[in-house]
Amino acid sequence: MTTSADFLEEAAACLGPRGLTRDLDLVEPWLTDWRGRFTGRARAMASPASTEELSRIVRLCAEHNVPIVPQGGNSGMSGGATPDESGDALLLSLRRMNAIREIDIEARRVTCEAGVVLQTLHEAAEDKGLRFPLTLGGKGSATVGGLISTNAGGSQVLRHGSMRALVLGLEAVLADGQVFSMLTPLKKDNRGFDLKQLLIGSEGTMGIVTAATLKLLPAVAERVVIWAGLPSLAAARTLLLHCEDSAGNALEGFEVMPQACLDAVLAHLPSARAPLSGRHAWHVLIEVVADRASAATLRERCEMMMAEAFEKDLLEDAAMSASEAQAEAFWLLRESVAPAERERGPAVQHDISVPVEKMPEFVDTTAPMIEAAWPGTEAVAFGHLGDGNVHYHVIAPKVTDGLSWQKNEGKAISRYVHDLVTEWGGSISAEHGIGQLKRDELVRLGDPVALSMLRAVKQALDPQGLLNPGKLV
C-alpha cells in the first residue's frame, strides 16, 4: 500500500511545479464555498494545464483510490465544489485550462476549455460580432466547466434554454482517466445515446468536463428594457403571455419581484432610483432584443406592445428605457436583489420551480402558510417567472442568533418548502444544482425509480466512487 506522501510525489511529477500545491495559503481560499456554508480539507490542490495532464492525474487517483473534487470558479450555490472534512480528497482546479480554442464565425460556435470564465467568453464572442446567450450574476467568476456541470440557468432561459441547450459538443475525463471526446457538433447523430447529456448537470460525479463546443448567436443590435408595476403575480403571468404573443422570439427576459424586494434594493443602493413613481404589489422587468435586420423597428414594436397591454388593463404603470444606461440601471435593480436581501439579515433561500402556469397560485398560496407557521418570518419570491423558476427566500424575524435560527427553524422551513414544491409537481433545484446542500432532500423526495437510475449510471461510470463523493448521488 502506498502512502499519501508517495501519491503526492507522483502527482507532483505528473503535473510539474505549477500543477500541484500543498501551500495552505494558496489552497485555503478554495476550501470554503462562496456562501460560507461548507468548509472542507484536501490533500493538495491540483491544477492541470491540459486535458492530457488531467487524464494522467485522474488515472493516478484511480490507482491510489484518492477521491477527486473538481472545481471551477467556486461560485456554486449548493456546495458542490467543496471537499468534505476528511482531508482525503484531491481538490482539482480547472482554472488553468482557460484557452478559447476556436471561434467559428460562420458556424456561430465556440470551442473553449472548462476554465474559461463566462465574462471572458462573452467578451471573446462580442469581439467577433457574436454573443453567448447565457448570463448570470456570477459571470465574473463562473467558469464554462462549472456552468455545464450544474446545467446553469440565468435570466435568458426563457428564450435560449439552460446550459444544456447551448452545448453542441463535449470533452471530459472519465473516472478511470479515459478521455471522452465528442466536441464536433452534428445536427443529426443517431449512434445510440446522447452521452454528453449524462455529463451535463452531473456536478462532476460522472466525469470531469474539460472542454465544450457552445452555440453562439448574432450580437444584439438593439434592446429595450421595460419596468412595469402590477397588482399581482397572476397579473404578471397574464402580461407574460401578452408579451410572448406580441414580441415572439424577441422576448429575452421576464423577471419579477415584489415591492418588498425593490424597497430592499433601494436601501442597498442609495444612489438608485425607483423606475416608477408609485408603489405596486409586484414589479416586472421585460427585455426585448433585436439583431441588425430588425433593430430599426424594435422600439416602435415595444411601444405598441405596451400600449395594447395598457388598453387591456394588464398593468398599472410602466417605464421604457430611453438609453442603454437606463436599461443597465433597470437590470442593476434586479441583479441587486440577492445582496440586498442578505443585508436584511438571516434567511433561508430556495431555488425552486413549478410548472409555469402554476407559479402565481403557488406563491400566493404557500407564502401565507409559511408566515403563519413561523410567525415573524417573511416569504419573498423573485426571479424568472417566464421559465417557472423563482428564488423563494424566507427571511428570519429579528433574532439575536441568526446562525442558530438557520440551523433549527431555517432547516425546518426548507423541509416544509421542499414538501410543498413536491406536492405541486415542481423541483427543489431549478438551476443551482443539488451538491451537498440538497443531497439528503433529493433522497427524501426524489422519485425512487429516477434515483435508482442515477445510482446505476454513477456505478457504471465511477465504480470506485472517486468523482466528487458526497454530492448529488
Side-chain angles (χ1 to χ4, degrees), residues 321-438:
S321 62
S323 64
E324 183 61 20
Q326 191 173 27
E328 286 293 324
F330 286 174
W331 269 111
L332 179 62
L333 297 176
R334 163 61 186 91
E335 292 171 348
S336 299
V337 172
E341 291 295 335
R342 280 197 293 272
E343 282 190 359
R344 295 184 64 185
V348 283
Q349 297 89 14
H350 310 95
D351 161 49
I352 56 102
S353 65
V354 297
V356 180
E357 66 277 7
K358 294 183 179 180
M359 182 58 75
E361 185 183 0
F362 173 81
V363 172
D364 290 344
T365 300
T366 60
M369 294 169 63
I370 294 166
E371 292 172 353
W374 284 273
T377 61
E378 181 182 356
V380 175
F382 65 94
H384 326 301
L385 180 64
D387 55 37
N389 166 210
V390 295
H391 304 295
Y392 201 49
H393 293 188
V394 180
I395 301 168
K398 298 298 181 182
V399 293
T400 54
D401 188 351
L403 185 60
S404 175
W405 181 87
Q406 287 178 318
K407 287 184 176 180
N408 295 290
E409 287 90 343
K411 189 173 182 179
I413 290 170
S414 290
R415 187 181 179 94
Y416 185 58
V417 170
H418 292 158
D419 286 342
L420 291 170
V421 169
T422 303
E423 289 173 14
W424 283 68
S427 169
I428 65 171
S429 180
E431 62 180 359
H432 292 167
I434 296 295
Q436 53 188 306
L437 178 66
K438 299 180 182 178

Side-chain angles (χ1 to χ4, degrees), residues 86-225:
S86 69
D88 293 335
L90 179 70
L91 185 62
L92 182 66
S93 168
L94 280 297
R95 290 179 287 276
R96 287 182 68 203
M97 295 180 59
N98 59 1
I100 295 179
R101 296 180 183 176
E102 179 188 19
I103 296 181
D104 189 325
I105 298 175
E106 184 176 333
R108 293 177 182 169
R109 62 185 183 228
V110 56
T111 300
C112 60
E113 293 180 345
V116 172
V117 173
L118 179 57
Q119 185 168 334
T120 302
L121 176 59
H122 285 166
E123 293 167 356
E126 288 167 8
D127 286 345
K128 303 294 184 181
L130 300 168
R131 65 175 176 134
F132 179 62
L134 184 145
T135 191
L136 35 75
K139 63 186 177 182
S141 56
T143 61
V144 166
L147 296 169
I148 293 171
S149 297
T150 57
N151 187 31
S155 58
Q156 296 170 313
V157 172
L158 173 63
R159 182 182 181 192
H160 304 291
S162 62
M163 193 69 181
R164 187 182 301 278
L166 302 173
V167 177
L168 303 176
L170 202 64
E171 177 188 271
V173 172
L174 304 182
D176 60 0
Q178 292 188 88
V179 178
F180 168 81
S181 184
M182 293 192 69
L183 284 171
T184 303
L186 298 172
K187 286 188 176 293
K188 289 187 174 181
D189 184 5
N190 276 343
R191 295 174 292 176
F193 305 137
D194 188 354
L195 293 171
K196 68 179 181 295
Q197 296 297 338
L198 288 177
L199 300 173
I200 300 171
S202 69
E203 303 186 29
T205 63
M206 309 289 185
I208 302 168
V209 173
T210 54
T213 301
L214 305 173
K215 181 190 298 185
L216 298 177
L217 296 176
V220 171
E222 184 65 47
R223 71 167 174 166
V224 171
V225 179

Side-chain angles (χ1 to χ4, degrees), residues 226-230 239 276 282-286 306 315 317-319:
I226 301 161
W227 192 282
L230 300 102
L239 180 60
L276 307 176
W282 284 87
H283 295 261
V284 172
L285 182 151
I286 305 164
M306 297 311 292
L315 69 164
D317 196 5

Side-chain angles (χ1 to χ4, degrees), residues 426-462:
S427 169
I428 65 171
S429 180
E431 62 180 359
H432 292 167
I434 296 295
Q436 53 188 306
L437 178 66
K438 299 180 182 178
R439 182 194 59 202
D440 293 342
E441 285 291 83
L442 179 64
V443 172
R444 185 174 72 88
L445 297 170
D447 177 74
V449 175
L451 290 174
S452 69
M453 292 174 69
L454 282 174
R455 292 176 182 129
V457 174
K458 169 70 171 174
Q459 178 63 27
L461 293 181
D462 182 20

